Amino acid sequence: MIVRDAEPADLEAILEIHNTAIAESTAIWDTEQVDLDERVAWWAHRRQAGFPVLVAEIDGAVAGYASYGPWRPKSGYRFTVENSVYVADGFHRRGVATALLGELVVRAKIDGVHVIVAGIEASNQASIALHRNFGFEIVAEMPQVGAKFGRWMDLTLMQLMLPGPVNGPAEERGVGS
């Protein structure tokens, strides 16, 4: 398995994984599938903002993808990101999600991220276990905040705090200015 930065040629495979998750799972809470133009714009926006978009490749096929992006739009949240990890059908239980999340955590440390948030549908015990294996802790359970497939969905919020300055972000303490 190779984990690498996604390239434009990967976007059709990313689209297929994304739309399958919309249609068949509660991993993505959207109910309408997207087209390739939407994924191209998403990828370009993530890249321009400096956020990683990764793919795991097995035998030349995209086996999964992962990214992180802004958790909330206010500037006070700029050191916090939300991660997403998705695995293609046929590649589950092969370490794809572990490899992708591991690389996201490495990239977050390099990028100066302080907190990674994961919003997980509460019945997705595999994703909760994956995140726990990386040190994420459950910080909130939010009952019935989503709806899909004719049922209410509960949200589990997990977070991983990464090492950072003891007294807060350096730019706010006047360091490096």
Side-chain angles (χ1 to χ4, degrees), residues 68-162:
Y68 60 71
W71 183 58
R72 301 208 40 189
K74 306 292 185 200
S75 63
Y77 296 110
R78 68 192 170 282
F79 298 103
T80 301
V81 297
E82 182 173 5
N83 81 81
S84 300
V85 178
Y86 303 102
V87 177
D89 285 345
F91 290 98
H92 293 277
R93 305 237 183 271
R94 293 176 66 178
V96 174
T98 299
L100 287 166
L101 184 54
E103 182 61 19
L104 279 183
V105 171
V106 168
R107 299 280 183 103
K109 289 176 182 176
I110 292 168
D111 290 345
V113 170
H114 182 57
V115 176
I116 305 173
V117 174
I120 303 168
E121 199 276 323
S123 69
N124 189 343
Q125 293 302 306
S127 186
I128 291 170
L130 168 71
H131 284 81
R132 274 198 176 121
N133 287 341
F134 281 92
F136 283 73
E137 296 179 2
I138 294 174
V139 294
E141 300 276 352
M142 301 177 72
Q144 299 184 8
V145 295
K148 190 172 178 181
F149 302 133
R151 68 177 180 88
W152 294 112
M153 296 190 305
D154 300 343
L155 180 66
T156 297
L157 288 175
M158 300 182 78
Q159 78 174 41
L160 175 65
M161 293 180 67
L162 300 173

Side-chain angles (χ1 to χ4, degrees), residues 2-62:
I2 299 167
V3 175
R4 60 174 174 77
D5 289 303
E7 301 170 357
D10 300 317
L11 292 174
E12 286 190 28
I14 288 172
L15 174 67
E16 182 177 340
I17 295 166
H18 187 82
N19 279 337
T20 298
I22 290 171
E24 299 177 6
S25 78
T26 57
I28 297 176
W29 290 23
D30 288 329
T31 56
E32 300 295 324
Q33 295 197 355
V34 300
D35 62 17
L36 186 57
D37 288 342
E38 187 278 341
R39 287 287 88 185
V40 169
W42 167 84
W43 175 79
H45 181 263
R46 291 280 167 114
R47 296 279 306 231
Q48 181 201 27
F51 297 125
V53 178
L54 307 174
V55 293
E57 184 181 319
I58 297 177
D59 298 329
V62 174

Side-chain angles (χ1 to χ4, degrees), residues 78-79 164-177:
R78 68 192 170 282
F79 298 103
V166 175
N167 296 320
E171 70 180 56
E172 293 185 5
R173 294 190 326 269
V175 176
S177 3

